[in-house]
Amino acid sequence: MALPVALDLTGRRVVAVGGGPVSARRVMAFVEEGAIVTVIAPWICEDLTDLVTTGEIAWLERDYVGVSDLDGARLVHTATGEAAADDRVLTDADTVGIWCVHAGDAGATPVAVLARTTVSLPDGPLTVATHAAGDPRLAVRARDAVAEHLATGSVALQRSRRRDGAGWVALVGGGPGTDALLTIRGRHLLSTADVVVVDRLAPRGLLADLPASVRIVDVGKVPGRHAVTQDEINAVLVEEALAGHGVVRLKGGDPYVLGRGGEERLACEAHGIPVEVVPGVTSAISVPAAAGIPVTHRGVARGFTVVTGHEEIPSLPSGRDHTLVLLMGVAGLQRTTDLLIAGGRDPRCPVAIVERGWLPDQRVTIATLDEIAATATAVGVESPAVIVVGDVVALSPHALTP
């Protein structure tokens, strides 16, 4: 049996005997932990040479001579490739009461360096380390499996924070609304949050899996209900973070694609609050994709523009080879089509409206530019929907349906 122990090597002397790749891997780990490392070897590999050149380690260019080489060391690592030499280092270390890692004999070494990796949490790193006596490959596989499990956000990782301490804010793009398209980093941050400030179009299915201790603040803008202003949302993020909470702002699409993420970041940073921005799968591209429509396609469309308002439309490229993606454009669709036609867009240009993209009740409505507003009214098109204008619409399998 072995007792896992975490060693703080910061500012402490570590001696590494041997200059090969095995020694180099361990030395780099010791340096990362702040140790003062001396390598003893008649030759060293390229990785160790780099560390010597940068002054990160010291090198005694000779063979190990004895106990005197271990003076002041807290830990010794030996990997000379010669069993007798490594055994001698182990014996000397044991004689003077210094822990020794014998890289060549897992059964003989009194100390093992665990297979480890670091998972990045907003409050600081979380180290995952595994030990499988005599089977380092098993330890690595187990480490990677645990780290992957944590990174997916399937494990609650909320820390016990001092509520008068520093909080943080993460602006997380939730994608077009389906849980499956939230990024791994987004899931990970959700698993660490104390408070989740959520939009109407964010992937809400994930919220049910959060611990009961996580507070959900709904700021979704729903027609017919008093809208939460952007200033009020900014104030919520600042207040919660200043109270010491980890806050995830879960937004539909991408925070920086017509999502006002920049305003929220600036508001938080003005109060000294650290902010992480996690890109999301923007609905401007992903929702057309759900309907089989690429926003660009060789020989059909060379570029695309994403807009929400009407005032920009007269100045947009009018050629059918330039795709126009309209977000939040259902209510003003008739005016939009009039402006596009007046601006030179072909009235027979195909248009698609994709409602509730990626969700089970997704619906696609296709017509020409001069007919799409009337068609949308006839079939009862509703938000949320993404409107695509351009010849790429003809590539959709839905375009073949009468």
Side-chain angles (χ1 to χ4, degrees):
M1 297 295 291
L3 176 66
V5 175
L7 297 179
D8 182 1
L9 296 177
T10 305
R12 293 175 170 84
R13 184 171 188 250
V14 174
V15 172
V17 182
V22 173
S23 184
R25 287 197 298 272
R26 293 289 184 247
V27 167
M28 286 188 282
F30 298 149
V31 170
E32 288 176 3
E33 294 302 319
I36 301 171
V37 181
T38 299
V39 174
I40 302 174
W43 63 271
I44 55 176
C45 66
E46 185 176 348
D47 288 336
L48 290 174
T49 300
D50 291 341
L51 294 175
V52 172
T53 301
T54 58
E56 295 175 83
I57 65 172
W59 176 30
L60 299 181
E61 192 177 350
R62 57 172 173 76
D63 288 318
Y64 172 80
V65 297
V67 172
S68 61
D69 279 338
L70 308 182
D71 287 347
R74 298 294 186 90
L75 181 67
V76 181
H77 182 278
T78 183
T80 65
E82 299 179 7
D86 289 334
D87 290 345
R88 180 187 175 197
V89 175
L90 175 62
T91 299
D92 288 348
D94 188 54
T95 299
V96 295
I98 300 173
W99 291 110
C100 179
V101 179
H102 188 317
D105 189 345
T109 182
V111 179
V113 178
L114 277 58
R116 65 177 191 140
T117 189
T118 299
V119 179
S120 177
L121 303 181
D123 291 313
L126 173 66
T127 298
V128 177
T130 55
H131 178 243
D135 193 344
R137 290 185 178 87
L138 174 60
V140 168
R141 291 198 301 271
R143 175 204 65 191
D144 292 345
V146 172
E148 181 180 0
H149 190 55
L150 293 173
T152 60
S154 55
V155 180
L157 296 173
Q158 287 79 10
R159 283 191 172 185
S160 298
R161 300 183 183 88
R162 290 175 50 210
R163 297 312 177 196
D164 59 346
W168 50 264
V169 170
L171 307 179
V172 175
T178 176
D179 299 353
L181 292 182
L182 178 66
T183 63
I184 291 177
R185 181 59 178 167
R187 288 177 178 268
H188 188 191
L189 287 165
L190 275 177
S191 74
T192 70
D194 302 305
V195 179
V196 178
V197 181
V198 63
D199 268 354
R200 178 172 68 97
L201 300 180
R204 289 170 170 257
L206 297 167
L207 304 182
D209 297 329
L210 297 176
S213 61
V214 178
R215 187 154 42 86
I216 310 298
V217 180
D218 190 343
V219 295
K221 298 176 175 65
V222 178
R225 193 185 79 180
H226 171 67
V228 181
T229 68
Q230 188 60 52
D231 286 342
E232 290 172 331
I233 294 173
N234 295 349
V236 169
L237 300 178
V238 170
E239 179 182 355
E240 295 291 352
L242 290 178
H245 297 139
V247 183
V248 164
R249 171 72 167 107
L250 184 60
K251 307 166 73 70
D254 183 281
Y256 278 4
V257 180
L258 302 172
R260 297 194 172 181
E263 297 175 41
E264 294 170 352
R265 178 181 63 82
L266 292 173
C268 292
E269 290 179 346
H271 290 81
I273 298 167
V275 179
E276 176 177 351
V277 179
V278 180
V281 180
T282 174
S283 59
I285 298 173
S286 64
V287 170
I293 303 172
V295 293
T296 63
H297 189 83
R298 186 167 60 175
V300 180
R302 295 178 296 173
F304 68 98
T305 300
V306 181
V307 294
T308 59
H310 298 289
E311 60 275 5
E312 307 98 333
I313 287 175
S315 63
L316 297 178
S318 60
R320 289 168 54 156
D321 63 345
H322 187 92
T323 305
L324 175 62
V325 180
L326 292 166
L327 304 183
M328 298 171 279
V330 172
L333 183 56
Q334 183 64 67
R335 182 187 173 207
T336 297
T337 57
D338 291 342
L339 287 170
L340 288 172
I341 293 171
R345 179 81 61 157
D346 185 347
R348 305 307 295 169
C349 179
V351 180
I353 304 176
V354 186
E355 299 171 81
R356 302 175 295 278
W358 293 103
L359 299 180
D361 58 346
Q362 172 181 302
R363 181 172 67 163
V364 182
T365 301
I366 294 179
T368 57
L369 183 61
D370 58 352
E371 296 178 351
I372 189 64
T375 301
T377 299
V379 300
V381 166
E382 297 178 344
S383 296
V386 174
I387 302 168
V388 186
V389 182
D391 280 355
V392 289
V393 170
L395 299 172
S396 170
H398 299 277
L400 304 177
T401 304

